Amino acid sequence: MDFISILSIFVLTCFVGYYVVWSVTPALHTPLMAVTNAISSVIIVGALIASAAIGIGGTGATSKWLGLLAVVMASVNIFGGFAVTARMLAMYKKKAR
Amino acid sequence: MEGLAQNPWAALAYLVAGVCFILALRGLSSPTSSQRGNRFGMIGMTIAMVTTLATHFDFNKICVTAPLDDPTYYDRCSSGGLTDALFVAAAIAIGAVIGIVTARRIKMTDMPQLVAAFHSLVGLAAVLVAAAAFLNPVAFGIADADGVIHQVSRIEMGLGVAIGAITFSGSVIAFLKLNGNMSGKPIMLPGRHVINLATLAAILGLIAYFLTDQSPWIFWTVTALSFAIGFLLIIPIGGADMPVVVSMLNSYSGWAAAAMGFTLHNSAMIITGALVGSSGAILSYIMCRAMNRSFISVIAGGFGGDGGSSGDGEAKEQRPWKLGSAEDAAFLMQQAEQVIIVPGYGMAVAQAQHVLREMGDKLKEHGVRVKYAIHPVAGRMPGHMNVLLAEANVPYDEVFELEDINSEFAQTDVAFIIGANDVVNPAAKTDKSSPIYGMPVFDVGKAKTVLFIKRSMGGVGYAGVDNDVFYADNTMMLLADAKKMVEEIVKSLD
């Protein structure tokens, strides 16, 4: 992908985000933050690439370890973020009657 | 850019993952569809992770490693083998255990701290990924064989590491303030605006210089300065402005992911980054609007630490006010047709949400209509009060937003204020010199009776402004800990 097509995806998604987020009900703003937290950990993709790469010499090995550390952090966020969102959303109930 | 010629199927899978993330947020438009939305998010994340693992790990492949004595040679093989996969699996498992245990154990009142902590992890992960990409650029397909990083990638990487580092250190400070490890009071350094602007200029200047020179010192200086400015930006911001700060850091964590998405040419990361970035930005805007403050003035900081700054210079005269008891409150509410409950951060501190719902149930047994009114900035993060009430099993169709319920106070018998103060202060409408002037507030004074739970007559809210509601003829002050007072009211309702 060239830079312009990436930029197009980015700009268009900003607009999608604008409309989608305005339609989120204010009652769910806390779960919104928790779930955006979880999905922004898609950065784990970069961490996995770093962990997969075979590095030689000093910097290559460091890069790999940094990648693994990033995998741990992103996983905390992914699993924790989705779990806590699910826990919160399960509490929102309508009137029993 | 051919360095990162992606498998077209992988590119497609990342796009699908991105679409799942859009659907995840879309689901939050109503509580009924929200759980399905969350599942879309999980599916999207699984697709993104599996795709990366499938394309970057190859157990049969034997990588030809370079001769170790040749320092200019970068290894071209970017596929991991079995050992790497085991390490990755272990890393994911460690993260998963920590994440799930935390998510299960966390108290709902501590949600703002948890979100701040999670933001800091996204920020740090972004810094680590950017650093990994800088140290081994060939593996990321962003450099030629000699290890010269593409210029556009340098900019993206520089921005990614800067935003990530700001997100990290800023969120750590926000966490410490929210968790009470650090005072909520603004900490004002002399000349902080000059220091901040100079640091910001230095970061941008260095990123620009990074274009021409990819020396490590530039990269690491940008990182260090960004850590510093994240710290400097958040310490002068007071506790009451935390909803804006948390939303803003949410936005930054998105932009950091987007910047790394640009570096890695990964559509899932770019879509997510843009979504999260705009989500946080919109939440910050909503919070600022609900306080009638500009984003700049919140970021400039210094607002809302303790009650020290008296709005009016002259000594406050002692004004008469009425003290009520739990029995009085119970009696008044039993007789009412409609009661509107206005909760605030004090309810969260006192953990009074469960007993409050009990009180609501008792009142309903007496035929009283009970509604809850929530101000956008009540609590320490957007939607904080809604989650606490939902936790206490308050049905969400009894909970109303400011603009939907404010006109009802005139037809309401009792407005019951628990742990809120500034959001019911009429000075926001009448007193131009008040620091909260222009902030939309609940017209609780229009109700026949106002019951105001407050610990004592001393403190005056986060904005440090006196509240005329305390002294109004139709107000009865209930001075006690919120939870104890409501417990007593429940007892008197039997």
Side-chain angles (χ1 to χ4, degrees):
Chain A
M1 279 192 286
D2 58 24
F3 181 73
I4 290 301
S5 29
I6 299 178
L7 190 66
S8 316
I9 297 178
F10 178 73
V11 172
L12 293 176
T13 316
C14 284
F15 281 93
V16 172
Y18 179 85
Y19 289 105
V20 169
V21 172
W22 271 114
S23 75
V24 171
T25 166
L28 293 177
H29 276 164
T30 297
L32 171 68
M33 299 198 95
V35 84
T36 50
N37 223 314
I39 65 173
S40 56
S41 301
V42 73
I43 203 155
I44 196 171
V45 167
L48 291 171
I49 295 174
S51 324
I54 285 184
I56 52 136
T59 59
T62 318
S63 166
K64 201 179 181 73
W65 285 110
L66 292 179
L68 280 169
L69 196 58
V71 170
V72 174
M73 290 179 178
S75 314
V76 171
N77 244 335
I78 291 170
F79 288 89
F82 282 123
V84 87
T85 309
R87 197 180 136 201
M88 279 192 274
L89 293 177
M91 299 186 313
Y92 283 82
K93 289 186 201 85
K94 256 195 141 117
K95 230 175 281 190
R97 279 148 280 137
Chain B
M1 301 291 140
E2 63 287 304
L4 211 80
Q6 259 176 352
N7 173 343
W9 290 109
L12 193 62
Y14 286 130
L15 184 63
V16 172
V19 172
C20 285
F21 294 146
I22 296 176
L23 294 173
L25 298 200
R26 181 74 193 118
L28 292 175
S29 57
S30 109
T32 41
S33 58
S34 60
Q35 285 174 302
R36 192 178 55 222
N38 196 35
R39 279 194 287 277
F40 268 119
M42 296 185 208
I43 293 169
M45 189 60 74
T46 313
I47 294 175
M49 285 172 70
V50 168
T51 307
T52 314
L53 292 172
T55 48
H56 285 84
F57 288 86
D58 182 355
F59 301 152
N60 302 318
K61 185 168 179 177
I62 299 157
C63 286
V64 184
T65 42
L68 282 168
D69 54 344
D70 180 0
T72 59
Y73 190 98
Y74 279 69
D75 180 33
R76 311 281 185 79
C77 177
S78 62
S79 285
L82 187 57
T83 335
D84 303 300
L86 290 176
F87 270 107
V88 166
I92 294 177
I94 295 170
V97 169
I98 300 174
I100 290 175
V101 169
T102 317
R104 289 244 170 100
R105 291 215 180 136
I106 191 83
K107 274 192 281 179
M108 284 298 147
T109 40
D110 294 342
M111 200 50 70
Q113 292 92 301
L114 181 72
V115 167
F118 278 169
H119 286 155
S120 73
L121 290 180
V122 179
L124 193 52
V127 171
L128 292 174
V129 171
F134 176 71
L135 292 174
N136 196 359
V138 178
F140 283 81
I142 54 169
D144 57 30
D146 300 326
V148 177
I149 303 172
H150 303 312
Q151 286 197 318
V152 71
S153 302
R154 293 188 202 175
I155 295 284
E156 294 157 353
M157 207 193 268
L159 287 176
V161 77
I163 305 171
I166 293 173
T167 311
F168 171 71
S169 55
S171 300
V172 167
I173 300 299
F175 172 82
L176 293 175
K177 287 196 171 199
L178 288 164
N179 206 31
N181 306 94
M182 193 172 157
S183 156
K185 281 180 202 164
I187 298 167
M188 317 286 269
L189 297 178
R192 63 204 156 85
H193 294 310
V194 179
I195 299 176
N196 289 353
L197 288 176
T199 317
L200 204 62
I203 291 171
L204 292 176
L206 280 171
I207 292 176
Y209 186 56
F210 195 44
L211 257 184
T212 56
D213 180 359
Q214 65 172 60
S215 322
W217 73 266
I218 302 174
F219 183 84
W220 299 117
T221 314
V222 167
T223 314
L225 285 177
S226 306
F227 276 128
I229 199 169
F231 175 78
L232 291 170
L233 274 176
I234 309 300
I235 52 166
I237 303 182
D241 280 343
M242 279 300 144
V244 183
V245 171
V246 175
S247 316
M248 182 186 83
L249 292 167
N250 185 34
S251 180
Y252 286 178
S253 70
W255 304 131
M260 294 320 298
F262 273 99
T263 313
L264 304 182
H265 297 211
N266 183 298
S267 56
M269 280 164 86
I270 291 170
I271 292 175
T272 316
L275 280 179
V276 177
S278 37
S279 166
I282 290 172
L283 289 176
S284 315
Y285 169 75
I286 295 175
M287 295 300 114
C288 286
R289 192 184 55 179
M291 295 194 291
N292 191 38
R293 307 199 37 218
S294 72
F295 187 68
I296 299 290
S297 80
V298 171
I299 295 311
F303 184 83
D306 53 0
S309 62
S310 54
D312 33 7
E314 76 266 31
K316 275 178 206 138
E317 82 271 43
Q318 289 288 320
R319 288 194 274 172
W321 48 275
K322 272 183 283 189
L323 180 70
S325 69
E327 290 77 30
D328 300 335
F331 179 77
L332 277 166
M333 286 194 283
Q334 266 175 10
Q335 307 298 316
E337 230 172 85
Q338 170 157 298
V339 172
I340 298 182
I341 298 173
V342 184
Y345 183 58
M347 178 193 80
V349 174
Q351 300 269 1
Q353 65 271 30
H354 298 278
V355 59
L356 189 67
R357 195 257 315 151
E358 229 177 286
M359 187 187 90
D361 288 350
K362 282 264 160 62
L363 288 173
K364 278 188 250 169
E365 286 169 22
H366 285 94
V368 182
R369 218 171 30 248
V370 179
K371 291 181 178 176
Y372 297 81
I374 297 190
H375 195 276
V377 291
R380 282 290 187 264
M381 71 184 290
H384 192 189
M385 290 299 120
N386 302 78
V387 171
L388 294 181
L389 292 178
E391 185 199 14
N393 279 322
V394 172
Y396 60 78
D397 35 8
E398 287 178 9
V399 182
F400 297 87
E401 305 302 320
L402 174 66
E403 55 271 30
D404 298 331
I405 200 165
N406 213 6
S407 57
E408 282 193 37
F409 281 100
Q411 296 93 44
T412 298
D413 303 288
V414 179
F416 186 85
I417 300 155
I418 171 166
N421 189 352
D422 293 334
V423 300
V424 299
N425 193 338
K429 289 203 166 143
T430 53
D431 180 5
K432 282 206 170 126
S433 65
S434 167
I436 59 168
Y437 181 74
M439 170 173 160
V441 289
F442 289 115
D443 300 321
V444 289
K446 289 189 179 159
K448 273 195 206 117
T449 311
V450 178
L451 295 176
F452 209 123
I453 299 194
K454 207 166 173 308
R455 217 181 274 267
S456 71
M457 287 305 281
V460 281
Y462 290 101
V465 220
D466 208 359
N467 192 339
D468 282 338
V469 171
F470 302 156
Y471 314 103
D473 288 336
N474 59 341
T475 300
M476 193 182 268
M477 299 299 298
L478 306 170
L479 298 185
D481 172 75
K483 192 175 178 185
K484 284 205 191 95
M485 176 54 76
V486 180
E487 276 168 358
E488 279 174 43
I489 295 175
V490 170
K491 266 185 227 149
S492 312
L493 279 171
D494 283 327

